Amino acid sequence: MAAIALLALAACAPASPTAEDFIPEYKGVETALLDGDLVQFNVAMTKAMVPENVAAYAECAAAQYTLIRGYGFARHVRTNVAIEGGVWRADAVYTISPSLPKGLKTIDAEVVTENCRDKGIPTV
């Protein structure tokens, strides 16, 4: 009888995590040109470990978008991150420009895009 009880408890115990539980699933990017060089990026993903993971996804989207538009640089304006029902979302805004903009949070679009590819983070 005790053996049956132990088997029943074992069946209810959560399964141990596997490597697949930690591989992010990128759910897509939506871009919106807000005004001239101001662009909003909405991204979604699952299996992020920390908010910085989804913020990095938004930065990768911004870098590739910057290159697509024929520019070389972007400046981070803001990123809001939220999680609901296991889906992480980021709403990020960047300015894009042909030359290095003023500010502390600037990115070189080519360098960032290459780093994203190396890390397996998709871009636009």
Side-chain angles (χ1 to χ4, degrees):
M1 194 62 105
I4 293 173
L6 286 174
L7 287 174
L9 284 175
C12 294
S16 297
T18 64
E20 288 183 5
D21 293 329
F22 300 100
I23 299 172
E25 293 180 14
Y26 299 97
K27 302 294 187 179
V29 177
E30 293 179 8
T31 60
L33 186 59
L34 300 176
D35 184 37
D37 63 352
L38 193 63
V39 186
Q40 179 177 15
F41 301 89
N42 292 307
V43 300
M45 67 185 291
T46 58
K47 301 181 185 176
M49 298 293 111
V50 293
E52 290 80 10
N53 295 146
V54 71
Y57 183 26
E59 182 178 75
C60 291
Q64 181 64 51
Y65 180 88
T66 300
L67 294 176
I68 289 169
R69 293 293 304 265
Y71 295 117
F73 300 92
R75 182 177 55 84
H76 179 254
V77 176
R78 67 143 173 88
T79 300
N80 296 316
V81 176
I83 183 171
E84 184 177 325
V87 178
W88 289 81
R89 297 184 188 283
D91 163 15
V93 176
Y94 286 81
T95 60
I96 59 175
S97 67
S99 59
L100 186 63
K102 292 181 180 180
L104 298 176
K105 297 182 180 181
T106 59
I107 62 172
D108 180 320
E110 284 187 36
V111 171
V112 171
T113 300
E114 188 62 36
N115 287 339
C116 295
R117 287 188 185 120
D118 291 346
K119 294 177 182 177
I121 302 173
T123 58
V124 176

